[in-house]
Amino acid sequence: MKEYKIDTKCLQAGYEPENGMPRVMPIYQSTTYRYNSSDHLAGLFDLTAPGHMYTRISNPSVALVEDKIAQLEGGVGAMLTSSGQAASLCAVFNICGAGQNFISASSIYGGTVNLFAVTMKRMGIEVRFATPDMTDEEILALVDENTRCFFGETIANPALTVFDIERYASLAHGVGLPLIVDNTFATPMLCRPFEFGADIVMHSTTKYMDGHATVVGGVIVDSGNFDWEKGGKFPELTEPDESYHGVVYTRDFGKAAYITKARVQLMRDLGVTPQPLAAFLLNEGLDTLAVRMERHCKNAQTIAEYLEKDPRVSWVNYPGLPSSPDYALAQKYLPGGCSGVISFGVKGGREAAMKFMDSLKLAAIVVHVADARTCVLHPASTTHRQLTDEQLIDAGVTPDLVRFSVGIENVEDILADIDQALAKANG
Ligand code: PLP
């Protein structure tokens, strides 16, 4: 499919039916697979024969969607997971174990912060956060001989900061480490981190990739570009894996070493498996990803510009606005648009923000973003409600902050809804 443009690949990559086969990708709803000989099955266990063995590890429907996403991101292989959280865990844990540490941008999804700073700490893995104001020297001062990777989010949820992928890739590579990028909000339609030096990409496919609030899922994609052998820091990839009869991932799987290990070791042992039906539903979403992202960006840009001019709004944060501190980064990494999420403050503080939310008719209050339907959340009264106003400000979540996920409806209807709700909030 290399010859096709990316928006064509959204529809045509992965499942390519031959003569007489179903036009739409079938759901292979089976946990297991029949073989004619024990020898063939033995070969599967040795990773020397091709084929599926057990759906916890791989499945034909899942594999077809993995192939599509690998092509969209420009990687050598991908692995779907049961959630975005599972993808973040596996992406790091595949190369970073107890007694080791990794560097993460501090501006990332709150759930990932919990996973990295609380749960992975209990696994003996330490995260070291790099704040946006740090110099290169200050970031490199966080690195020691036990550091194993760098991590950041292309467009951070909910801060909407734009990650300087090239800068972090160069810092990471300078000390012989790979860069992992969470590309959830951008999707490969708006940014392909491998083109800027990232080595591994992951997504919560629950967001724009699915796009219809239908199915929770995640994915990890391997660029195949990182040299795991150089520097000797990754023996789990370059030395025999006893749990697979001494397979050496770099020797036996070449460029696909990382993603093969993630599947045959982590997926086998952790079982964070996507269901075939989930893969099917995700594939339906991917079919229309290109057109949806175009519309999300166009609508969000229009709404951000409208809000910025509205006297009832105290501030607007959207990387597509020249007033955004990340505007220059957005121009570089997101030339096709800045995705669909905007945050803004309603004049009148927490009370006015809540009144605004409650007055919306089209935009739905949900704990979700990146859906085809416009949705909205007031973090101060929901996800962050246990914090005082002072603590909220420290966390970058002001009491008046509204997170607005712009959908693909007609923009005039979304604007009219915002307008009437702002009138009630300020009335
Ligand atoms: N990464 C980002 C950027 C997210 O926004 C989310 C969820 O909101 C996740 C990861 C976790 O994904 P999931 O909810 O699919 O587990």
Side-chain angles (χ1 to χ4, degrees):
M1 281 273 154
K2 288 248 175 334
E3 68 279 16
Y4 289 127
K5 303 257 187 294
I6 191 163
D7 35 1
T8 303
K9 286 183 185 170
C10 282
L11 290 135
Q12 302 284 350
Y15 178 58
E16 294 180 48
E18 283 163 20
N19 189 38
M21 286 170 69
R23 181 62 196 93
V24 174
M25 183 188 90
I27 307 169
Y28 290 93
Q29 192 62 53
S30 180
T31 61
T32 194
Y33 308 87
R34 180 181 178 275
Y35 289 96
N36 288 334
S37 78
S38 312
D39 261 3
H40 193 147
L41 206 50
L44 287 174
F45 273 93
D46 280 351
L47 302 179
T48 52
H52 301 281
M53 168 169 55
Y54 187 53
T55 287
R56 168 149 46 79
I57 297 154
S58 70
N59 166 279
S61 302
V62 172
L64 290 166
V65 183
E66 289 168 340
D67 180 28
K68 180 186 275 194
I69 296 176
Q71 291 193 49
L72 295 179
E73 284 288 6
V76 294
M79 181 178 87
L80 289 186
T81 56
S82 53
S83 68
Q85 288 297 86
S88 303
L89 169 65
C90 291
V92 175
F93 191 46
N94 202 31
I95 47 170
C96 187
Q100 297 176 336
N101 65 73
F102 66 104
I103 314 292
S104 172
S106 60
S107 191
I108 53 171
Y109 167 60
T112 314
V113 173
N114 279 338
L115 168 68
F116 286 175
V118 181
T119 301
M120 288 180 78
K121 188 175 170 194
R122 297 186 64 202
M123 298 162 74
I125 298 169
E126 182 198 351
V127 62
R128 299 177 177 179
F129 287 112
T131 53
D133 56 333
M134 278 186 173
T135 62
D136 288 358
E137 292 68 34
E138 286 169 329
I139 295 168
L140 288 175
L142 299 172
V143 175
D144 63 21
E145 72 281 5
N146 292 320
T147 308
R148 285 298 175 270
C149 62
F150 281 58
F151 185 97
E153 232 168 82
T154 313
I155 306 174
N157 174 18
L160 306 181
T161 45
V162 180
F163 187 54
D164 194 344
I165 301 171
E166 247 172 24
R167 175 185 175 214
Y168 273 82
S170 131
L171 287 174
H173 296 163
V175 288
L177 299 175
L179 172 65
I180 303 173
V181 171
D182 179 339
N183 200 30
T184 298
F185 269 23
T187 81
M189 296 308 117
L190 305 179
C191 178
R192 286 175 298 284
F194 295 154
E195 293 173 6
F196 298 102
D199 303 288
I200 307 296
V201 157
M202 50 98 7
H203 291 262
S204 163
T205 59
T206 320
K207 306 296 172 321
Y208 289 114
M209 280 194 168
D210 165 54
H212 298 78
T214 311
V215 65
V216 173
V219 70
I220 304 174
V221 191
D222 185 351
S223 70
N225 292 334
F226 192 78
D227 186 345
W228 303 103
E229 285 171 335
K230 197 170 148 194
K233 286 192 170 153
F234 301 97
E236 62 273 33
L237 285 160
T238 59
E239 288 175 19
D241 176 356
E242 293 318 324
S243 73
Y244 262 116
H245 318 308
V247 75
V248 176
Y249 295 105
T250 45
R251 182 195 64 200
D252 300 341
F253 297 97
K255 281 183 172 298
Y258 171 96
I259 203 72
T260 304
K261 174 179 174 293
R263 177 183 307 286
V264 303
Q265 199 187 68
L266 293 190
M267 193 54 90
R268 177 196 64 184
D269 295 348
L270 301 180
V272 284
T273 309
Q275 294 304 311
L277 176 60
F280 174 85
L281 292 169
L282 171 58
N283 196 44
E284 295 278 291
L286 290 169
D287 280 349
T288 58
L289 184 65
V291 283
R292 283 189 290 107
M293 290 317 290
E294 209 176 297
R295 181 71 167 253
H296 278 295
C297 292
K298 202 161 156 244
N299 280 0
Q301 185 71 35
T302 306
I303 290 167
E305 287 169 13
Y306 170 91
L307 289 169
E308 198 166 45
K309 288 195 205 102
D310 196 307
R312 299 165 296 183
V313 170
S314 38
W315 56 270
V316 184
N317 181 17
Y318 183 66
L321 292 175
S323 59
S324 161
D326 286 352
Y327 183 69
L329 286 174
Q331 296 294 296
K332 173 174 176 176
Y333 292 110
L334 305 158
C338 294
S339 202
V341 184
I342 301 172
S343 60
F344 62 94
V346 181
K347 263 192 195 151
R350 177 192 289 258
E351 212 176 298
M354 289 179 74
K355 195 138 182 237
F356 167 78
M357 302 267 306
D358 293 348
S359 306
L360 289 164
K361 294 191 169 84
L362 181 141
I365 303 176
V366 297
V367 185
H368 184 49
V369 272
D371 185 25
R373 288 153 291 230
T374 297
C375 52
V376 65
L377 183 79
H378 180 228
S381 65
T382 54
T383 47
H384 294 63
R385 70 174 287 117
Q386 71 281 14
L387 304 189
T388 63
D389 281 5
E390 290 70 37
Q391 287 172 321
L392 284 173
I393 290 163
D394 283 348
V397 179
T398 51
D400 62 346
L401 185 152
V402 170
R403 187 183 69 180
F404 203 86
S405 174
V406 180
I408 59 173
E409 301 94 342
N410 187 302
V411 74
E412 285 177 27
D413 288 331
I414 308 173
L415 284 171
D417 194 32
I418 291 176
D419 184 53
Q420 64 81 24
L422 280 174
K424 293 200 177 99
N426 282 243

